[in-house]
Amino acid sequence: MSSETKRDFYEVLGVEKTASAEEIKKAYRKKAMQYHPDRNPGDKEAETRFKEVGEAYEVLSDDDKRSRYDRYGFAGVDPNFNPNAGFGGGGFGDFGDAFGFGDIFGDIFGGGSRRRNPNAPRQGEDVGAKLELTFEEAAFGAEKEVPISRIENCAKCTGTGCAPGTTPAVCPTCRGTGSVRTTQNLLGMTMQSTVACPQCNGKGKIIKESCTACKGKGKVRHSTTVKVRVPAGVDEDRVVRVRGEGCSGTNGGPDGDLLLEIAIKPHEIFKRDGIHVLCELPITFAQAALGAEVEVPTLDGKVKYTIPEGTQTGTTFRIRSKGIPVVHSKNRGDHLVTVVVETPTKLTKEQKELLRQFEEKDEAAKHQPKIARFFERIKQEFDKKD
């Protein structure tokens, strides 16, 4: 998709230019879910929108790229962008070419407009794909094979579009510039404008004998498998960019990139909160009351942990540096384990009698202060009404 047909990235995500990073992230997730290929099988428009949303988020989620985009537009995030290059030949940049103003003002003030060289190197389009990872693969990284479909240079003609043994000829009409000048009279003034050459369609060259494999286009769509290395610590709100694995560039330009949308399979035990891992650990009433050494499951295997006596259900303990690695860093998050006291069922008659004896002890309230305070507040509340 060329910059002339691209929609504004803020418009794509449906956010204001003043949107915070969190608002942009939420908007991306909503749009990506709406247009995801799995939810829209065979829908080409949804596929296009999905890639568009991914590209917009990839730019707006990066502070540096967002800053350049806000200042220079699409040109600011072009790999070949040079902010010191100034404007186009007539002082009106791309607007001069787009509206013909460059040609008009060039005739008035001297000089002419400058069209883009049709044979200049151009970067290939980016390709989007979804990559599903297990919880552990997302945590520790993995090497995966991703099936994709991309535009590549035709193998038969090596991207020239010409039949083997032939080469393209310079267009005799535009002499390789890809454009011609037209003159028209307007309100008694002679106006000139630059348009694409009708003979070569703005390419500046003519293929006399086309390659039979690509029919003169020089490009073919090809399905392939790409090996990618996913860094440790990736999350579902990240887009992983694999450089040079997108569509082939034109006229020697660089290849596009592969943009991977990460999806993580749910884990039976663990949940994730940023760089921290969460899990619940059921314990017995006796373990909670008396304290105990328990085995806690972590991403690194089982870890022994001592629960103090009198632990209440819902208490969360932190095990340092057993969580998710920080992307491109040696640091790791923590493992947060929440204990849940399980009430025993199917007690024997003897066990029930022991519990009743404990409950009936005069000092039982000392061992359960929350319950004692609760009923004391109830008593005080009803005493007020009486």
Side-chain angles (χ1 to χ4, degrees):
M1 186 181 294
S2 66
S3 60
E4 287 82 358
T5 58
K6 281 183 179 179
R7 290 195 299 153
D8 175 70
F9 286 152
Y10 292 100
E11 178 187 345
V12 169
L13 295 183
V15 298
E16 298 292 334
K17 288 191 175 182
T18 55
S20 65
E22 186 62 29
E23 290 172 331
I24 289 174
K25 181 189 294 186
K26 288 181 179 179
Y28 163 70
R29 286 179 172 177
K30 180 179 179 181
K31 293 287 186 180
M33 187 175 296
Q34 177 183 353
Y35 295 119
H36 198 284
D38 289 351
R39 292 193 169 193
N40 304 274
D43 189 335
K44 294 297 182 182
E45 183 177 354
E47 181 181 346
T48 299
R49 294 297 183 205
F50 180 72
K51 293 177 181 178
E52 185 181 46
V53 167
E55 182 182 12
Y57 180 70
E58 199 272 333
V59 171
L60 298 184
S61 63
D62 185 296
D63 290 341
D64 179 58
K65 291 181 181 178
R66 181 179 180 181
S67 176
R68 285 189 278 119
Y69 175 72
D70 288 344
R71 187 172 182 183
Y72 301 108
F74 295 112
V77 291
D78 189 305
N80 301 316
F81 174 63
N82 178 8
N84 298 317
F87 292 104
F92 289 85
D94 290 339
F95 293 104
D97 287 338
F99 298 103
F101 293 153
D103 297 312
I104 296 174
F105 286 96
D107 288 334
I108 296 175
F109 298 107
S113 70
R114 181 180 65 190
R115 287 184 59 84
R116 292 179 179 176
N117 182 356
N119 298 315
R122 295 197 303 275
Q123 183 174 11
E125 296 285 335
D126 292 338
V127 174
K130 179 180 178 180
L131 178 60
E132 189 173 53
L133 302 173
T134 65
F135 196 93
E136 290 82 358
E137 286 174 335
F140 297 120
E143 188 173 90
K144 306 288 288 185
E145 291 188 346
V146 183
I148 63 170
S149 176
R150 64 188 179 192
I151 303 298
E152 298 180 354
N153 287 329
C154 174
K156 187 173 183 179
C157 67
T158 64
T160 65
C162 301
T166 66
T167 57
V170 175
C171 174
T173 301
C174 66
R175 298 180 181 179
T177 63
S179 60
V180 294
R181 282 188 174 273
T182 61
T183 303
Q184 59 181 343
N185 291 320
L186 181 63
L187 300 177
M189 300 177 63
T190 300
M191 300 294 182
Q192 289 187 338
S193 61
T194 304
V195 297
C197 175
Q199 186 170 354
C200 65
N201 294 320
K203 296 180 179 178
K205 54 189 176 182
I206 295 175
I207 297 175
K208 294 182 178 180
E209 188 178 350
S210 298
C211 170
T212 56
C214 64
K215 296 180 174 56
K217 296 180 180 178
K219 306 283 185 182
V220 292
R221 180 168 289 279
H222 180 63
S223 296
T224 186
T225 301
V226 177
K227 279 188 176 182
V228 298
R229 179 67 192 175
V230 180
V234 296
D235 205 350
E236 288 189 322
D237 62 354
R238 290 184 66 92
V239 175
V240 176
R241 178 180 288 272
V242 185
R243 299 288 180 184
E245 292 295 351
C247 298
S248 296
T250 301
N251 299 325
D255 295 339
D257 300 331
L258 171 61
L259 304 178
L260 293 176
E261 185 211 1
I262 302 298
I264 302 176
K265 297 178 182 178
H267 197 279
E268 291 185 1
I269 301 174
F270 304 133
K271 291 184 179 180
R272 182 168 174 172
D273 182 13
I275 60 173
H276 303 308
V277 175
L278 315 178
C279 81
E280 287 189 349
L281 179 69
I283 60 174
T284 66
F285 170 77
Q287 287 175 319
L290 303 176
E293 185 178 75
V294 296
E295 287 188 334
V296 178
T298 72
L299 286 173
D300 299 310
K302 293 180 180 179
V303 174
K304 289 186 176 180
Y305 190 86
T306 301
I307 296 176
E309 63 179 53
T311 294
Q312 302 299 312
T313 189
T315 301
T316 299
F317 298 101
R318 183 183 297 269
I319 303 177
R320 301 285 180 183
S321 300
K322 290 294 183 181
I324 305 293
V326 179
V327 178
H328 304 309
S329 169
K330 295 181 180 179
N331 298 326
R332 291 181 63 174
D334 300 330
H335 187 91
L336 306 178
V337 55
T338 301
V339 296
V340 178
V341 179
E342 185 175 13
T343 303
T345 59
K346 298 181 180 179
L347 296 174
T348 65
K349 185 180 295 185
E350 182 182 1
Q351 289 170 331
K352 291 179 181 178
E353 182 59 31
L354 289 172
L355 285 176
R356 289 192 187 97
Q357 291 177 17
F358 172 78
E359 189 72 17
E360 291 170 358
K361 291 286 186 182
D362 293 338
E363 296 185 355
K366 293 182 179 179
H367 306 297
Q368 297 171 316
K370 288 185 179 180
I371 294 177
R373 284 197 298 270
F374 175 75
F375 284 106
E376 180 62 28
R377 285 196 295 267
I378 291 179
K379 182 177 181 301
Q380 292 174 357
E381 193 66 29
F382 279 93
D383 286 346
K384 291 179 183 178
K385 295 180 181 179
D386 292 341

